Amino acid sequence: MTDYRVYILNDKGHIQSDTLIVKADDAQAIEAAKKIVGVRHVEIWDGERLVGRFKTTPDS
């Protein structure tokens, strides 16, 4: 299992809040992040490694 940090960004790209999730791999972490953030810009990090950057939508 890996600790992933999910950063929720504001419209200017600054960190608004963050949360820690623990998942088996990157794909699971991305799916979990999409479910918890709603309509936001998001970055997922595994330590210093950027796993993904995306904007979620209500239907994601």
Side-chain angles (χ1 to χ4, degrees), residues 4-15:
Y4 291 90
R5 182 67 58 183
V6 178
Y7 292 102
I8 300 166
L9 309 176
N10 65 21
D11 291 337
K12 295 184 180 187
H14 298 278
I15 297 171

Side-chain angles (χ1 to χ4, degrees), residues 8-32:
I8 300 166
L9 309 176
N10 65 21
D11 291 337
K12 295 184 180 187
H14 298 278
I15 297 171
Q16 181 175 319
S17 63
D18 69 306
T19 189
L20 179 71
I21 58 175
V22 179
K23 295 295 175 186
D25 59 31
D26 292 355
Q28 287 184 2
I30 290 169
E31 287 306 309

